[in-house]
Each structure stands twice: as structure tokens, then as C-alpha cells.
Amino acid sequence: MSKQIDMLKTLPLFSDLPESQVLLLASHSHIRKCERGTFLFLHGDDIRNFKILCRGTVQLFRETPDGHEVTSDILIAGDCINAEEVIALQTTHLTSARVVDDAQVLEVPIRWMREHLSDFDRLAPRLLQSLSERLHGARMEAEHRSTMSATQMVACYLQGLCVLYDFDPNGFDLPYSKTLIASRLRMELATFSRTLQKLKEVGISVNGNHVAFTNLNQAGHFVCDNCSMAEDCATHRALSQMAQTDSLRITS
Amino acid sequence: MSKQIDMLKTLPLFSDLPESQVLLLASHSHIRKCERGTFLFLHGDDIRNFKILCRGTVQLFRETPDGHEVTSDILIAGDCINAEEVIALQTTHLTSARVVDDAQVLEVPIRWMREHLSDFDRLAPRLLQSLSERLHGARMEAEHRSTMSATQMVACYLQGLCVLYDFDPNGFDLPYSKTLIASRLRMELATFSRTLQKLKEVGISVNGNHVAFTNLNQAGHFVCDNCSMAEDCATHRALSQMAQTDSLRITS
DNA sequence: CGACACTTTGAAGACGATCAACGCCGGTGG
DNA sequence: CCACCGGCGTTGATCGTCTTCAAAGTGTCG
């Protein structure tokens, strides 16, 4: 139990809650271990819990009627899995969630959460802020999708990954499979693969699982010739801001 | 002044506020008339006001570095123009807003709004709910964009329009120009125009400005053979729900 | 009538999806 | 130890769709 409390405290979402509230939360939540491949919930299931990912990786996806699977997001430790659903009025999940890497998930009954959200005066603003960030992120992504070429999107995504995970730009390994990334980027694996070759021409070398940016400037920042949205590209502005100020990521 | 109060009361966002709170709001807000073509704000401007559109039409858009204009949304009477920005932490606008049809805009100083939001106990939940709806909407749209053909998107969009404005499916006029719609759908005007011709084959006839659905079933509901996302397509589910329950649209 | 904004239509081209074959690697089982 | 298999990734060839560029048509309003 004390282990659970420790876990709660490491979550950025709860980091500035007073001790008493953490205890209260702990007594109304539990941590579930889920191994690779299990589903946290399926599209259409009743919403039972507010879930936060404490460890591992989770894929949010939806299935189109013709059986095609569309990845809507890939979550990592510290992310809320279904923050919207605390606030929204629908009673069933709009997406499915599958564990990609063995995960630990904190679960808080949704009803309790909804009823007591207002008791936690610091929690609601955080949740909201994260919501509005996600909304902006979704819009930026939509804009990118209709503005940039596949090559640009991949470049942006890789840089984003690097910032998000605080990887060394000079060399790091992809945190998940290319198949998953391609799906996340809404492109065919084949297209993604070809794209990676093209990226070498612009200073991003990818060999197998290993990525290295050879196009860094003296300050160590990304040089993104091929990204047309220098000003507030998900990589440049939003994401690098996010890395500094993001309230919901584990930064340690 | 009493006119302004009446205006406030007709806004769904404020509809269930007690009289005293409406008065309070009125004393801290004002209504601005804006004629076609004026900019409410530009990308990068400081955020000064929370704005609600009381009349007319507003286009939200962003400009890409190469000068291309991307419409992110088209707002109608009753819509919050920048609900996210009340909640988010950034101090400058992330989009630009242009008046398409002569508009009336209610403005509330953003600082006052942020400081006093918690005083209006019924307001915050509405704002949040609308945020989460928009997030879901954005995600659905992203999914559509990568799942459906241009033809399907246009069909969906037209049906959505019809529901949103409560038009008669048997015949109505487009509420704004094809150029604007095409931009909103992130497609070239030429593509959009060609698409409209194809739609006749599936029971949606468009001549000039006039649209008619000839593919309605006996209940008067849309039949959407070409939309692959019957279950929660923006048209079918989300939008028809929204038309009934949406808290932020003027339904009269 | 003429200017102008808006829309339609045509023809060419670019880009990504799709289908298909192959290579690589780790695991399982004989 | 080798053979087989399945998951994953690469590569090639082809095809359809949407963009792009360009020209011509429609409408409105002074």
C-alpha cells in the first residue's frame, strides 16, 4: 500500500497534491499489472475507471468497420489514458486500449472520480490544461497531415520522440516497433520504411532500430529544413515547450 | 444594456446561470459588431478576451510559412471562439480568426474570466464538456481524414451541416461559399467541385448553392452507403447526438 | 458593359496505397 | 544442430487519388 502511495506521488498529475489528498486517492484506487497484449478496454465498453499509465506503453486505437486498425495515440508512463472521459458525458469508451509493453496502470473508479473531482482543487486545472493541450496537439497534427509530406511527418515525429523521451539526438533506439509507429502516423509500413531512407538525405540516419540526427546545429538544436512549420511545429515549439513545462509527463 | 443581457441569456453556454451571475457577466463584458472581413485576432496576438459568437460566421485558420491558409474551423452563432484559451496557459493566440458573415461577438476580458471562472459553478463544467467534445471531434476528423476518400468526407460534411443547422434534408442552401468549405475540408476547390458531381451517384445532388438529399430512408434519416463509419461517424452519431444535447449550440 | 470574385472543367503530374516477393531474425521442435 | 515457421521489415512495380496549373464559364454589382 505504501508502495502505491509512492507511485501516486511520482505521477506528475498528482505531484502537487497535499498528502491527505494523495492518501484519499490511494484508498480509492488500485494498481493493475498488465502484460503485453492485454486490452485495458475496448471501444464500446462501459467506462469504469479513470486510468493513468504508471509504467510501460499503451496503444490507443479504433477499428474501422472494414476491420482496419487505426492507432490514435501511443501513451507512455505518466500519461492519462482517458482524461477526457472523466469530463465527457458519454458512458462508453470511444477507443480501445492495448498494452504494448508490460504496463502498470493506476485505476480510479470513474464515478468516484467524477463526484470528487471538485474536492481536489489542484487536480481539475491540471486535467483541463492537459485536455486543452491535447486538443491543440490534435489540431496541429491534423494541420500537419494536410500540409506536410510523409517524409516531413516522419522527421517531425522522430524529433518529437527524441524530445519526449529525452533521448540523445546523436543516437538512440526507437522505443517501439516500426509497425506501431507507422500505424500511429497513419501511413503504410511500406511507405514508412521507404521514407526512412529518404531521411538520410536530410541528416537523419536510421539503421534498423537506431536513429541518429546528424543535422544538429552548434547549440544542439534540431535543424529541420524539411519541416515547413518551423514556428510551431509539434517538434520545435510545442514539443520542446512540453518537455520543459508539461505537467503530465514524468520527466525524471 | 438590457439588450446585452437578453443576448447573454440566449447563449446556451449561459442559459442555466442564475440571474445574478448573468448580470455579473454582463457588467464585465461587451458586445462588438464586426463586419465581414475583419480579424478578431491574429496568430501570435496576445490573448485579451474570451469570445463567444452571438451572430454571424467566423473562420478560424492558420497560415503556413509558405503563405498557404488552412481553415481549422468554421464557427456559428452560439459557439465559443476560444474556449481552450481560457484554460490553457499560453498567452498568445494559436490561430487567427476572420469574420466571414457580419458578426456580433461577446467579449469577456480573459484575465477576469480566468480569475472568476470558479465563481460560476455551472459554467466550468460546460466549458470542459465542450472542450472534450471538441477533442473527440478533432480525433474523429483526423480518423476520417485518413480513412475516408474525399467523396466520403464531403458527403459526411454535408450531412453534418444539415444536422447542425437543422436544415431540411430535402433541400437547403449552403451557408457559406464552396471555397470556404473546401478549405475547411482541407481539399482543393477543384477537387471539392469535382467531388460534388460524384455525389449525385450516391443520392446527394448539389446544384450551385443548393443541396438536396435524395437518399433518405422512410424515417427521414440519412442513408450513408459511402460512409464507412456508420457507428460513430461525425454525421451519424456524434453530430445527431450533438444536435439534441449539445450544450453550446443555439438550437432555436 | 466591364470588373471581379467565385466556380467549373481539363490535362498533367506527384504522392502514397496496395499487392507481392523477399530477407532477416528469434524461437520451437525434431 | 539443423529445419521450419512466424513476425517484422525492406524493396519493387503498379495503380488510384488528389494536387497543381491553366483556361474558361457564371454570377453579381458598380
Side-chain angles (χ1 to χ4, degrees):
Chain A
M1 190 61 184
S2 79
K3 202 173 149 194
Q4 182 183 342
I5 293 174
D6 290 344
M7 178 70 93
L8 276 171
K9 285 182 186 167
T10 68
L11 290 173
L13 178 61
F14 301 139
S15 61
D16 61 356
L17 253 57
E19 180 84 12
S20 62
Q21 295 190 353
V22 174
L23 289 176
L24 182 59
L25 260 169
S27 69
H28 284 273
S29 63
H30 63 275
I31 290 181
R32 190 147 73 95
K33 291 182 200 283
C34 310
E35 66 179 15
R36 176 190 166 84
T38 60
F39 295 95
L40 294 177
F41 48 77
L42 291 174
H43 178 188
D45 284 356
D46 280 345
I47 302 174
R48 298 188 185 285
N49 295 290
F50 169 52
K51 297 179 196 237
I52 303 177
L53 189 55
C54 302
R55 186 127 68 86
T57 312
V58 163
Q59 172 197 22
L60 291 185
F61 67 100
R62 289 168 45 94
E63 254 172 79
T64 58
D66 56 347
H68 207 67
E69 191 173 280
V70 183
T71 300
S72 33
D73 214 348
I74 300 172
L75 306 177
I76 64 173
D79 284 335
C80 296
I81 297 178
N82 58 345
E84 326 75 83
E85 298 183 332
V86 177
I87 283 154
L89 24 59
Q90 81 268 11
T91 60
T92 62
H93 289 288
L94 295 168
T95 62
S96 307
R98 176 196 291 134
V99 174
V100 175
D101 278 336
D102 295 0
Q104 286 186 19
V105 179
L106 181 80
E107 297 187 335
V108 192
I110 195 82
R111 249 194 83 190
W112 186 84
M113 194 71 194
R114 283 176 175 163
E115 283 167 5
H116 295 268
L117 184 59
S118 52
D119 301 349
F120 301 85
D121 54 342
R122 322 211 56 146
L123 201 51
R126 287 228 153 170
L127 221 45
L128 303 190
Q129 197 182 299
S130 121
L131 255 199
S132 84
E133 269 168 22
R134 288 207 183 187
L135 179 57
H136 180 237
R139 283 181 176 166
M140 285 305 299
E141 218 180 295
E143 181 174 326
H144 281 188
R145 195 174 304 287
S146 57
T147 304
M148 313 197 318
S149 68
T151 315
Q152 290 173 319
M153 295 229 35
V154 171
C156 250
Y157 183 78
L158 290 180
Q159 297 186 2
L161 264 189
C162 185
V163 173
L164 184 61
Y165 281 88
D166 196 26
F167 286 148
D168 175 8
N170 297 298
F172 63 91
D173 285 341
L174 291 173
Y176 17 74
S177 75
K178 294 186 177 177
T179 307
L180 183 57
I181 295 176
S183 164
R184 168 64 232 274
L185 292 174
R186 310 276 168 89
M187 61 179 69
E188 290 303 309
L189 178 58
T191 307
F192 181 68
S193 182
R194 271 185 264 268
T195 292
L196 292 180
Q197 306 313 317
K198 286 192 208 157
L199 283 185
K200 291 181 175 149
E201 303 163 13
V202 294
I204 303 177
S205 85
V206 181
N207 288 310
N209 220 18
H210 194 78
V211 183
F213 295 97
T214 59
N215 58 351
L216 305 175
N217 64 20
Q218 67 285 7
H221 293 130
F222 294 113
V223 179
C224 195
D225 290 338
N226 59 330
C227 171
S228 62
M229 317 215 47
E231 195 195 351
D232 46 14
C233 159
T235 308
H236 293 247
R237 207 184 169 68
L239 272 186
S240 55
Q241 271 184 20
M242 189 181 295
Q244 293 159 19
T245 68
D246 179 13
S247 49
L248 297 185
R249 301 276 183 190
I250 285 176
T251 51
S252 67
Chain B
M1 189 63 185
S2 78
K3 201 175 150 194
Q4 183 183 342
I5 292 173
D6 289 345
M7 178 69 91
L8 277 171
K9 286 183 184 166
T10 68
L11 289 173
L13 179 60
F14 301 139
S15 62
D16 61 356
L17 252 57
E19 181 85 11
S20 62
Q21 297 191 350
V22 173
L23 290 175
L24 183 59
L25 259 168
S27 68
H28 285 271
S29 64
H30 63 275
I31 289 180
R32 189 148 73 96
K33 291 182 202 282
C34 310
E35 65 180 16
R36 175 189 166 83
T38 61
F39 294 95
L40 295 178
F41 48 78
L42 291 175
H43 178 187
D45 284 356
D46 280 344
I47 303 174
R48 297 186 185 287
N49 294 291
F50 169 53
K51 296 176 195 241
I52 304 177
L53 189 56
C54 302
R55 186 127 67 86
T57 311
V58 163
Q59 171 197 22
L60 292 184
F61 67 99
R62 289 167 47 93
E63 254 172 79
T64 58
D66 57 343
H68 207 69
E69 192 173 279
V70 183
T71 300
S72 34
D73 214 349
I74 300 172
L75 305 177
I76 64 173
D79 283 335
C80 297
I81 297 178
N82 58 346
E84 328 71 86
E85 299 184 330
V86 177
I87 282 155
L89 22 61
Q90 81 268 10
T91 60
T92 63
H93 290 288
L94 295 169
T95 63
S96 307
R98 176 195 289 133
V99 174
V100 175
D101 278 336
D102 294 1
Q104 286 186 20
V105 179
L106 180 79
E107 296 187 334
V108 191
I110 194 84
R111 248 193 83 188
W112 186 85
M113 195 69 194
R114 283 176 176 164
E115 283 166 7
H116 295 268
L117 184 57
S118 51
D119 301 349
F120 301 84
D121 54 341
R122 324 211 54 145
L123 201 51
R126 287 228 156 171
L127 222 45
L128 304 192
Q129 197 181 299
S130 122
L131 255 199
S132 85
E133 268 168 22
R134 288 207 184 185
L135 179 58
H136 180 237
R139 285 182 174 164
M140 285 307 297
E141 219 180 294
E143 181 173 326
H144 281 188
R145 194 173 306 288
S146 58
T147 305
M148 313 196 318
S149 69
T151 315
Q152 290 173 319
M153 295 228 34
V154 172
C156 249
Y157 183 78
L158 290 179
Q159 296 186 0
L161 265 188
C162 184
V163 174
L164 183 61
Y165 282 87
D166 195 27
F167 286 148
D168 176 8
N170 297 299
F172 63 93
D173 285 342
L174 290 174
Y176 16 75
S177 76
K178 292 185 178 177
T179 307
L180 184 56
I181 295 177
S183 164
R184 168 63 233 276
L185 291 174
R186 311 277 167 88
M187 62 178 69
E188 291 304 308
L189 178 58
T191 308
F192 181 68
S193 182
R194 273 184 263 267
T195 292
L196 292 180
Q197 307 312 318
K198 285 193 210 156
L199 282 184
K200 289 179 176 150
E201 304 164 13
V202 295
I204 303 177
S205 85
V206 181
N207 288 308
N209 219 18
H210 195 78
V211 182
F213 294 96
T214 58
N215 58 352
L216 304 174
N217 64 20
Q218 67 285 5
H221 292 131
F222 294 114
V223 178
C224 194
D225 289 337
N226 58 334
C227 171
S228 61
M229 318 217 43
E231 195 194 351
D232 44 15
C233 161
T235 308
H236 293 246
R237 204 183 169 70
L239 272 185
S240 56
Q241 269 184 19
M242 189 181 294
Q244 294 160 17
T245 68
D246 179 14
S247 49
L248 299 184
R249 301 275 182 190
I250 286 175
T251 51
S252 69

